[in-house]
Amino acid sequence: MIKSSLARVFFALLKRDLLLAFRHRSELFNPLLFFVLVVTLFPLGTGADTKLLQAIAPGIIWVAALLAAMLSLDTIFRSDFEDGSLELLLLNPHPTSILVLAKVLAHWLITGLPLMIIAPLLALFLGMDQELIGLLVVTLFLGTPVLSLIGAVAIALTVGLKRGGILLSLLVLPFYVPVLIFATNAIEMAMSGLPVTAQLWILGSFLLLAITLTPWPTAAALKLSLS
Amino acid sequence: MMKFIHKTASPPYFYQLSGRWIPWLAGITVLLLLAGLYGGLIVAPTDYQQGESYRIIFIHVPAAWMSLFVYIAMAVAGAIGLIWRIKLAESVAVCSAPIGAGFTLLALITGSMWGKPMWGAWWVWDARLTSELLLLFLYFGVMSLYAAIADKRVASRAVALLALVGVVNIPVIHYSVEWWNTLHQGPTIAKFDKPSIDLRMLIPLLIMATAFKFYYVWALLLRVRVELLERERNTQWVKLLLKQLKG
């Protein structure tokens, strides 16, 4: 038996997940459409006052991104759980926590990255300053992977349940609060012309912490869900 | 030492032992509550700034302390259950959640009752209030996760895992909320920033805090006993117990 190296397994898994997503285009576009729709609803609900929209734009975009990320979490493990490939993943001799990281990375590339690309357009719709749009993209770049990583723990806990939908939001959203606070705060500070390096460093440290810490509970939760 | 722990943690022995503790715990709780309330509502002097309405702290502050304490206790019990597979610890973790949620809710409600005359609003998006509210959501998450999973052994381990993730996150959530609020405009009416607290106020407060701790243990034991009976309903000792009860 040829034992393949961890790196090969990691990239094979990443490639497989990306390929699967590209074959199911709707999985790729639904979170994106949801994101755009939610942002579109806000001006309709609050009135099209430019000043007001400008002031709350970072909050709207980030809350919509949070919800879109949460709704797309199901795709990380659900189909693998249903067709049994998740069990094979756990039987793999390599550490599950690292393999989980490959799946989360694939999820971020499928859902987080498109959000980042479309967000500047929505920011323009809401009348955000053009200089701030770059910053918005940076916060999304640092923040959305954290959402995927934390979400993976929750989805791993609930993947065995038939109706995990509302439960998932209860499990995940309180943990998303710090990311939301620092990301929107960075943009608000920049609006009033203050430096934002501190917020970006903190977001970056959240990302590093999440990468190092979340794979273990995710792997443990997957083992529980399959037991 | 380990032998003692294993013996105490075995469900039948624990059931018997806790049955003997419960009257004592109940008695101590009631006595301490009465003493604390007497000290707080009658002996303690009126506050020169807040008048009589400050007296709610004798409920509010111990409840807020307990809301965090119970979460940590839940996570520790969950960790013990996960690592050493002790069934009793799993039950303790699971049964702590509703009690902790109760304390959190009590802290929130008494806080807003105090906030109405003091701040002029039932709810202020103050850092402490907000992080307490998030803590309540964390408790609800634990409770509904436990309710959602049919196999209770698996459910209690899932809950333990969630509580551990939560306990790492609580400081992060707490401090980011605090930070969020200090950068936004804070409440203009000063909070509890007295230089020192009168001894006649401090002593009833501490008595109440102890009473709440005893109440927690009391309620916990009651819940754990029921949980144990339910989980072990097919074992010999539960059947024997039922037979004895029927006489």
Side-chain angles (χ1 to χ4, degrees):
Chain A
M1 194 181 103
I2 306 161
K3 218 176 150 195
S4 37
S5 72
L6 179 59
R8 267 188 66 188
V9 176
F10 184 91
F11 285 111
L13 199 60
L14 185 66
K15 203 177 139 195
R16 167 185 172 273
D17 271 21
L18 290 179
L19 195 65
L20 274 174
F22 279 110
R23 295 280 154 82
H24 300 272
R25 294 280 158 80
S26 68
E27 266 182 35
L28 211 59
F29 287 110
N30 280 350
L32 206 58
L33 279 176
F34 176 81
F35 181 56
V36 176
L37 266 172
V38 170
V39 173
T40 322
L41 286 180
F42 269 91
L44 297 175
T46 58
D49 178 16
T50 325
K51 276 235 173 71
L52 176 71
L53 282 181
Q54 222 168 10
I56 59 175
I60 294 175
I61 291 179
W62 256 98
V63 170
L66 229 66
L67 294 176
M70 188 190 79
L71 286 179
S72 67
L73 285 176
D74 225 21
T75 54
I76 305 185
F77 296 124
R78 173 71 65 191
S79 63
D80 284 2
F81 176 77
E82 276 163 3
D83 66 15
S85 41
L86 204 55
E87 279 169 42
L88 291 179
L89 188 77
L90 291 189
L91 287 176
N92 195 294
H94 295 296
T96 317
S97 47
I98 307 229
L99 302 181
V100 157
L101 216 49
K103 292 193 69 71
V104 175
L105 178 62
H107 174 258
W108 180 74
L109 289 173
I110 296 159
T111 59
L113 199 61
L115 289 192
M116 240 173 75
I117 294 169
I118 201 124
L121 186 68
L122 293 172
L124 280 180
F125 278 4
L126 295 174
M128 259 175 79
D129 260 340
Q130 286 183 19
E131 294 100 62
L132 294 178
I133 290 177
L135 181 64
L136 174 73
V137 174
V138 172
T139 60
L140 282 170
F141 175 70
L142 291 173
T144 44
V146 182
L147 305 185
S148 297
L149 285 161
I150 297 176
V153 183
I155 197 71
L157 279 172
T158 55
V159 74
L161 306 175
K162 286 209 179 58
R163 277 179 307 231
I166 295 172
L167 177 61
L168 187 69
S169 60
L170 203 53
L171 296 187
V172 148
L173 289 180
F175 293 132
Y176 281 179
V177 167
V179 177
L180 177 68
I181 287 176
F182 283 99
T184 51
N185 190 267
I187 304 167
E188 275 165 21
M189 288 290 112
M191 271 180 184
S192 25
L194 294 169
V196 293
T197 33
Q199 283 86 334
L200 293 182
W201 280 114
I202 289 174
L203 277 178
S205 59
F206 281 162
L207 177 58
L208 290 179
L209 263 180
I211 290 177
T212 27
L213 292 183
T214 57
W216 284 310
T218 312
L222 279 181
K223 276 171 202 149
L224 264 182
S225 287
L226 287 172
S227 64
Chain B
M1 182 68 190
M2 275 320 267
K3 207 176 152 194
F4 171 75
I5 290 172
H6 274 293
K7 194 181 162 201
T8 321
S10 85
Y13 187 76
F14 176 81
Y15 188 86
Q16 209 191 3
L17 198 67
S18 59
R20 266 182 274 149
W21 288 351
I22 278 174
W24 289 98
L25 286 167
I28 294 172
T29 307
V30 171
L31 281 180
L32 282 174
L33 269 181
L34 286 176
L37 284 176
Y38 177 76
L41 298 182
I42 294 161
V43 178
T46 310
D47 186 76
Y48 74 100
Q49 225 175 3
Q50 304 185 358
E52 299 291 346
S53 45
Y54 90 94
R55 288 185 197 276
I56 202 144
I57 64 158
F58 295 114
I59 304 285
H60 174 73
V61 173
W65 284 343
M66 287 308 286
S67 64
L68 268 178
F69 176 84
V70 173
Y71 201 94
I72 292 166
M74 181 171 78
V76 170
I80 293 172
L82 272 183
I83 296 167
W84 288 290
R85 303 279 161 98
I86 297 177
K87 284 187 212 163
L88 183 65
E90 288 174 0
S91 302
V92 166
V94 166
C95 295
S96 288
I99 308 173
F103 280 128
T104 315
L105 200 62
L106 186 66
L108 279 171
I109 291 171
T110 51
S112 74
M113 277 158 65
W114 176 82
K116 183 64 185 167
M118 288 300 130
W119 293 335
W122 293 107
W123 183 263
V124 182
W125 287 98
D126 167 62
R128 289 197 194 179
L129 272 71
T130 313
S131 47
E132 195 74 5
L133 185 66
L134 289 171
L135 185 65
L136 184 66
F137 291 150
L138 289 179
Y139 274 121
F140 284 162
V142 166
M143 283 156 67
S144 41
L145 182 66
Y146 184 68
I149 302 177
D151 181 346
K152 289 307 168 198
R153 284 294 319 257
V154 176
S156 48
R157 285 165 62 200
V159 159
L161 208 60
L162 183 66
L164 279 178
V165 175
V167 105
V168 174
N169 261 288
I170 279 180
V172 177
I173 295 176
H174 181 79
Y175 284 108
S176 46
V177 169
E178 204 137 275
W179 198 81
W180 160 73
N181 188 260
T182 46
L183 282 187
H184 283 59
Q185 192 190 347
T188 36
I189 303 163
K191 289 184 295 186
F192 248 133
D193 47 7
K194 278 197 293 286
S196 66
I197 183 165
D198 191 304
L199 210 60
R200 280 171 298 169
M201 294 181 189
L202 184 64
I203 289 170
L205 188 63
L206 291 179
I207 294 177
M208 285 300 278
T210 324
F212 273 40
K213 287 246 161 44
F214 273 98
Y215 170 77
Y216 165 59
V217 179
W218 175 27
L220 183 68
L221 285 188
L222 286 176
R223 279 186 167 275
V224 168
R225 279 160 64 90
V226 175
E227 178 84 16
L228 282 180
L229 284 185
E230 201 176 322
R231 281 193 193 192
E232 311 250 311
R233 61 178 172 274
N234 292 325
T235 57
Q236 203 56 42
W237 71 271
V238 175
K239 282 179 186 158
L240 216 67
L241 194 79
L242 282 177
K243 221 178 254 170
Q244 276 173 358
L245 281 180
K246 275 178 196 158

